[in-house]
Amino acid sequence: MKIIVCIKQVPDTNEVRLDPKTGTLIRDGVPSIINPDDMCGIEAALQLKDQYGCHVTAITMGPPQADVALREALAMGCDEAYLVSDRAFGGADTWATSSTLAAAIKKLGYDLIITGRQAIDGDTAQVGPQIAEHLGIPQVTYAQNIEKTEGNALIVQRQYEDRYQKIKITCPALITALSSLNSPRYMSVAGVVSAYDTKEVKLLTFEDLKDHVAEENIGLKGSPTKVKKSFPKQVKAQGVKHEVDEDEAVEIIVKKLKEHFVL
């Protein structure tokens, strides 16, 4: 089984700064990590590799410095790594990003695609499902457990807020992983040495993918989403505590709801 894991390099900070003119993230001076949900996706793929001898490829779309994230994936145990990078891909929203990644994945060939549920610098949870739609394959999102059965079939436990659902799918398919899926392994010393000395991060540009994706569907040109305004998390004002009985509490709540035109 050939598994492709989609990962993203994201800022390692809760104190995200925004450019007031462009509304984009200021990444200078901010350390980067592999997105946490994507780390669990890597671990899920590596566990399948450990049990069944699967071939695992890590792929990311980003600037040249995203090479570091891919080498970390190689050091964890991935067999190959591909960086999808080109100025033509810049400014992509989730639609253009998923179109580009789907083209790269189609070129590489696959049985199973694993992505993280969502990235901490965007929280859209759109790219994974969109990749599946571009490729026309089944998908299971919010995966909390993955079991391989006979042939190319998998049983995936899909988590809801108050329950879970078990779904059997046949590959080719796509799964989006929750951070509760597993605990990612550490990089080994031998893995780090191999990732930097013997293994190669291969580059895919638009020239490599042009037979699989139209130019009007990539980068800023192919991004229908327009950001009207960006802002960091706002600190909420301290609440008011009322030590009253149940009847008075109901009156206070109803009054507040009326003040805010909810009732």
Side-chain angles (χ1 to χ4, degrees):
M1 177 181 282
K2 186 172 183 179
I3 304 174
I4 291 183
V5 185
C6 297
I7 68 174
K8 184 179 182 183
Q9 189 181 57
V10 295
D12 182 18
T13 179
N14 290 321
E15 300 298 326
V16 174
R17 295 180 297 136
L18 296 170
D19 186 315
K21 293 183 179 180
T22 64
T24 58
L25 288 174
I26 299 174
R27 296 179 182 268
D28 293 342
V30 179
S32 296
I33 58 171
I34 297 177
N35 181 60
D37 283 359
D38 299 346
M39 285 288 286
C40 293
I42 294 173
E43 177 61 28
L46 293 177
Q47 288 181 10
L48 290 171
K49 175 185 175 180
D50 293 342
Q51 296 177 59
Y52 306 104
C54 303
H55 184 278
V56 180
T57 299
I59 186 171
T60 191
M61 175 176 150
Q65 56 264 35
D67 170 275
V68 176
L70 289 169
R71 292 196 184 276
E72 184 175 342
L74 289 171
M76 290 175 67
C78 291
D79 299 291
E80 289 186 293
Y82 286 85
L83 173 61
V84 181
S85 187
D86 195 307
R87 286 188 178 275
F89 301 146
D93 66 357
T94 59
W95 172 262
T97 298
S98 61
S99 298
T100 306
L101 285 173
I105 291 168
K106 189 173 182 180
K107 179 179 177 66
L108 296 176
Y110 63 94
D111 295 301
L112 176 65
I113 304 165
I114 302 178
T115 75
R117 173 193 55 169
Q118 63 188 41
I120 59 174
D121 63 345
D123 286 348
T124 64
Q126 294 174 353
V127 172
Q130 286 176 349
I131 290 173
E133 289 299 314
H134 289 310
L135 296 173
I137 59 175
Q139 59 178 289
V140 180
T141 56
Y142 295 82
Q144 186 172 269
N145 188 52
I146 303 172
E147 298 175 15
K148 191 177 184 303
T149 59
E150 71 283 349
N152 274 350
L154 298 168
I155 295 178
V156 184
Q157 182 173 302
R158 186 174 192 266
Q159 186 62 42
Y160 293 89
E161 289 185 1
D162 58 347
R163 63 193 186 282
Y164 65 84
Q165 175 186 24
K166 281 193 173 182
I167 302 173
K168 184 176 182 180
I169 57 171
T170 301
C171 295
L174 180 143
I175 295 172
T176 73
L178 290 173
S179 57
S180 58
L181 178 60
N182 52 50
S183 296
R185 67 191 64 187
Y186 291 105
M187 298 178 286
S188 66
V189 175
V192 173
V193 173
S194 175
Y196 281 90
D197 289 352
T198 63
K199 291 187 177 179
E200 176 189 4
V201 172
K202 300 166 187 175
L203 179 66
L204 292 175
T205 65
F206 176 65
E207 189 66 24
D208 299 308
L209 304 180
K210 64 182 181 181
D211 292 337
H212 301 286
V213 64
E215 189 171 1
E216 59 267 22
N217 289 330
I218 65 171
L220 188 61
K221 185 189 301 184
S223 300
T225 305
K226 305 301 178 186
V227 179
K228 183 177 180 181
K229 183 180 179 182
S230 298
F231 51 88
K233 291 182 179 179
Q234 304 296 317
V235 178
K236 294 183 178 180
Q238 186 176 358
V240 178
K241 184 177 181 180
H242 298 275
E243 295 185 1
V244 295
D245 59 28
E246 293 180 357
D247 292 336
E248 291 178 292
V250 170
E251 291 179 4
I252 293 171
I253 292 171
V254 171
K255 182 180 178 181
K256 288 294 181 182
L257 291 174
K258 288 181 177 178
E259 288 177 359
H260 291 82
F261 304 102
V262 177
L263 294 178

